[in-house]
Amino acid sequence: MSAHQRGTELDLSWISKVQVNQPAVLRRAEQIQARRPVKKEWQAAWLLKAVTFIDLTTLSGDDTSSNVQRLCYKAKYPIREDLLKALNMHGKGITTAAVCVYPARVCDAVRALKAAGCDIPVASVATGFPAGQTHLKTRLEEIRLAVEAGATEIDVVINRTLVLTGQWEGSDFIKTSTGKETVNATFPVAIVMLRAIRDFFWKTGNKIGFKPAGGIRSAKDSLAWLSLIKEELGDEWLKPELFRIGASTLLADIERQIYHHVTGRYAAYHDLSMS
């Protein structure tokens, strides 16, 4: 929730004075991407931590109740139980942070998670996803319907015309992209957004969350994102309340890397369950 939403007078005049040192941002992004990842036990621990930040997502035009049900099962059991036992992490309640679906599939997700006996939040991409260009009344109704169906988190697609004309809106999180663009979550853009979050916190005392989404597919990438958050915002942002990764295929690669760490070999296609 922003300072404006809490009733505090929010001075946005400083936004017009913001300047971005693009060469410096690009150098910082290259530094993050070039860094060698942590190894062995440390890597396995960080990968399990990454799992807990994932909004496990399906946003396909052919989504059905059955594939949403599989997704929810995978959200509750993201890593094979024997692999967790080998790492002495079984019974620790490791799940993804949320399940993210279209509004029409929220009921399916809520039902599946309830049947699985877990309270993982259901997020929904309401408000005319991915363009956000439907009428305000329609977008508000879509939010209402998603919440009525059981969604506890809403990924709002803002009308970008408002941003381009300086009519800013408050939020609990900011997100790099819808995941449906040609280019989605990139490190240079993320660095600028994270420093804006940091500046906003320094000025208002309010912590805003961050969610990169789209194109994050490899375990190595997830470690780079965690490292970036830790270095730019600190450990206090490394929790699901303030950091999420929107992804659909990332979890599969993380589980493959953990399988390799435990067994010393890479998993065959049939070794790991599909979401």
Side-chain angles (χ1 to χ4, degrees):
M1 183 175 290
S2 72
H4 181 68
Q5 290 170 303
R6 290 181 180 178
T8 305
E9 186 65 29
L10 180 60
D11 177 15
L12 294 178
S13 61
W14 58 277
I15 290 180
S16 62
K17 301 172 186 174
V18 169
Q19 292 183 323
V20 175
N21 184 338
Q22 188 174 12
V25 168
L26 293 175
R27 283 196 301 272
R28 175 73 172 124
E30 288 172 3
Q31 178 190 43
I32 287 289
Q33 291 171 279
R35 184 172 300 158
R36 295 182 66 182
V38 290
K39 296 295 183 182
K40 299 186 178 179
E41 285 78 13
W42 286 107
Q43 185 182 76
W46 275 98
L47 288 175
L48 289 178
K49 193 171 184 68
V51 169
T52 67
F53 297 128
I54 293 176
D55 280 0
L56 195 58
T57 303
T58 182
L59 296 172
S60 299
D62 59 354
D63 281 339
T64 63
S65 59
S66 58
N67 80 293
V68 169
Q69 186 175 8
R70 288 196 302 273
L71 192 80
C72 291
Y73 184 85
K74 192 64 178 174
K76 183 179 181 182
Y77 303 106
I79 306 295
R80 235 173 57 175
E81 185 69 12
D82 61 318
L83 301 178
L84 291 176
K85 284 182 179 177
L87 296 170
N88 197 30
M89 290 298 292
H90 60 290
K92 302 289 187 181
I94 292 177
T95 69
T96 66
V99 169
C100 185
V101 294
Y102 276 118
R105 301 264 71 90
V106 169
C107 278
D108 296 329
V110 170
R111 191 180 306 116
L113 290 169
K114 184 177 180 180
C118 66
D119 56 359
I120 298 172
V122 175
S124 186
V125 289
T127 65
F129 179 89
Q133 288 289 355
T134 52
H135 288 292
L136 176 61
K137 184 177 179 180
T138 305
R139 287 184 283 140
L140 292 174
E141 180 69 3
E142 194 174 27
I143 292 173
R144 188 184 67 78
L145 291 171
V147 171
E148 279 186 0
T152 56
E153 300 176 1
I154 302 292
D155 278 22
V156 172
V157 184
I158 61 172
N159 183 326
R160 279 165 280 183
T161 301
L162 297 176
V163 173
L164 295 172
T165 55
Q167 300 177 65
W168 296 95
E169 299 173 341
S171 64
D172 301 301
F173 264 72
I174 55 174
K175 187 174 175 179
T176 58
S177 45
T178 62
K180 297 291 187 180
E181 308 294 333
T182 304
V183 178
N184 291 285
T186 67
F187 287 104
V189 168
I191 289 166
V192 174
M193 294 174 74
L194 291 174
R195 292 182 180 179
I197 288 173
R198 188 174 62 193
D199 286 350
F200 187 76
F201 174 64
W202 286 345
K203 289 178 183 296
T204 69
N206 293 322
K207 295 176 182 176
I208 302 299
F210 176 71
K211 179 176 175 178
I216 305 173
R217 298 185 179 91
S218 73
K220 181 180 178 182
D221 282 347
S222 72
L223 294 177
W225 282 104
L226 265 64
S227 177
L228 181 63
I229 299 299
K230 181 179 175 67
E231 293 180 16
E232 291 291 333
L233 295 178
D235 288 337
E236 57 192 305
W237 255 267
L238 277 176
K239 52 186 180 182
E241 293 81 10
L242 290 170
F243 177 56
R244 300 288 180 85
I245 300 173
S248 54
T249 59
L250 171 62
L251 179 57
D253 191 57
I254 289 178
E255 191 174 23
R256 277 193 292 269
Q257 296 305 320
I258 290 174
Y259 182 96
H260 181 267
H261 172 76
V262 170
T263 67
R265 61 185 178 85
Y266 283 104
Y269 183 76
H270 58 270
D271 285 326
L272 301 174
S273 62
M274 295 181 293
S275 62

